[in-house]
Amino acid sequence: MPKYYEDKEEDGRACGGVREDLRQCLLESPCVLQENKSPKQCLREGHCRSLQMTFFACKRSMVSVCSVFSSARGL
């Protein structure tokens, strides 16, 4: 369950809450804690996949919105 709405500092970046949840998920995963691998390596191995997909979907939606605004200005 995402925690981005619970007692978090305001992150001005796009998708900041999901980014923080993904970071926490990786840092608390057995891959990092027990196997002593880097969070980046654990992400590549498929840990926290649902949060990773949510984060990428959020970022993709931001790109889509930006492209709509930039194309509208060109008209």
Side-chain angles (χ1 to χ4, degrees), residues 39-59:
K40 187 175 186 176
Q41 187 176 4
C42 293
L43 189 63
R44 287 183 182 152
E45 292 178 3
H47 296 273
C48 304
R49 181 64 67 187
S50 61
L51 280 171
Q52 181 185 21
M53 299 306 282
T54 301
F55 178 65
F56 288 154
C58 180
K59 295 295 276 187

Side-chain angles (χ1 to χ4, degrees), residues 6 8 18 23 39 43 51 56-57 60 67-68 72:
E6 296 178 1
K8 299 267 178 143
V18 179
R23 185 180 78 79
L43 189 63
L51 280 171
F56 288 154
R60 189 177 318 121
S67 65
V68 168

Side-chain angles (χ1 to χ4, degrees), residues 3-16:
K3 301 175 190 171
Y4 59 87
Y5 53 86
E6 296 178 1
D7 300 326
K8 299 267 178 143
E9 289 184 23
E10 192 65 32
D11 186 354
R13 297 182 292 183
C15 310

Side-chain angles (χ1 to χ4, degrees), residues 1-2 8 10 12 25 31-33 40-41 44 63 74-75:
M1 177 63 118
K8 299 267 178 143
E10 192 65 32
C25 178
C31 180
V32 171
L33 295 176
K40 187 175 186 176
Q41 187 176 4
R44 287 183 182 152
V63 170
L75 294 177

